[in-house]
């Protein structure tokens, strides 16, 4: 689990580790941000110290690492990128597409964000891996805008 988590984190230039205290039955996630840019990076144990994008990418990396131990034929990720900046979102989306390709499982990704980044991540994955998935491997569907008042009167 630790190696898989760290592998996903490193895609964004971070290090990650999972510390399990079997006595207290607690799991702690620790992150070193931008290790490839800063030799003075330190381990962050309080994830609230991370930016929204860094925290979201950390959670995504943890979920993907845990998913490697699951044999489900399909997986769903809802709003995985809602707090990510453009760079974290691109890397996260490429990571998700590559995991979907490697695992053979079916994935459903729901996002309120523009799907242009998904298309770009798909093209980048195909170019980097020199692959041409079947034409129907990636399907993008745009949901209708919510009906007025359907969100409990809250403004977006």
């Amino acid at each position: 689990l630790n190696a898989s988590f760290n592998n996903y984190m490193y895609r964004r230039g971070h290090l990650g580790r999972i510390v399990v205290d079997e006595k207290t039955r607690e799991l702690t996630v620790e992150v070193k941000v931008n290790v490839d840019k800063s030799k003075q990076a330190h381990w962050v144990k309080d994830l609230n110290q991370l930016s929204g994008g860094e925290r979201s990418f950390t959670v995504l990396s943890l979920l993907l690492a845990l998913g490697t131990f699951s044999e489900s034929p399909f997986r769903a990720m809802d709003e995985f990128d809602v707090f990510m900046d453009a760079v974290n979102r691109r890397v996260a989306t490429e990571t998700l597409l590559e995991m979907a390709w490697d695992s053979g499982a079916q994935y459903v990704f729901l996002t309120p964000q523009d799907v242009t980044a998904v298309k770009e991540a798909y093209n980048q994955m195909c170019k980097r891996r020199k692959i041409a998935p079947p034409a129907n491997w990636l399907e993008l569907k745009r949901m209708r805008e919510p009906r007025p008042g359907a969100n409990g009167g809250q403004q977006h």
Side-chain angles (χ1 to χ4, degrees):
L1 180 63
N2 236 334
S4 182
F5 175 61
N6 192 51
N7 184 44
Y8 287 118
M9 290 296 292
Y10 196 72
R11 294 181 63 102
R12 184 64 185 94
H14 309 320
L15 294 179
R17 64 183 176 201
I18 300 168
V19 180
V20 178
D21 185 333
E22 294 192 26
K23 191 181 291 184
T24 62
R25 301 179 59 96
E26 291 182 351
L27 177 139
T28 305
V29 175
E30 299 177 358
V31 176
K32 236 187 214 188
V33 178
N34 296 323
V35 294
D36 54 347
K37 296 178 185 170
S38 171
K39 302 289 184 211
Q40 299 172 0
H42 62 280
W43 287 102
V44 175
K45 296 179 182 183
D46 180 1
L47 300 185
N48 288 321
Q49 294 177 354
L50 302 175
S51 72
E54 292 165 345
R55 198 167 38 248
S56 293
F57 192 81
T58 299
V59 169
L60 178 66
S61 297
L62 179 60
L63 290 173
L64 289 173
L66 289 169
T68 60
F69 295 96
S70 170
E71 294 185 21
S72 175
F74 65 91
R75 298 189 178 126
M77 302 288 290
D78 185 15
E79 297 188 5
F80 68 92
D81 59 348
V82 74
F83 295 111
M84 291 185 184
D85 59 32
V87 174
N88 282 311
R89 184 166 190 255
R90 181 187 52 77
V91 174
T93 304
E94 285 180 34
T95 301
L96 287 168
L97 292 174
E98 288 180 356
M99 178 148 186
W101 178 260
D102 291 343
S103 72
Q106 293 182 22
Y107 279 75
V108 176
F109 305 126
L110 302 174
T111 178
Q113 309 289 353
D114 179 21
V115 295
T116 304
V118 177
K119 292 176 190 173
E120 291 170 1
Y122 172 78
N123 291 335
Q124 188 65 27
M125 177 192 79
C126 292
K127 182 179 173 183
R128 187 175 51 255
R129 289 186 163 207
K130 298 179 174 90
I131 59 172
N136 64 351
W137 186 80
L138 177 67
E139 291 186 35
L140 300 173
K141 306 286 185 193
R142 178 152 171 79
M143 296 176 65
R144 288 179 288 189
E145 295 294 323
R147 296 181 319 270
N151 61 354
Q154 297 175 355
Q155 297 294 320
H156 288 284

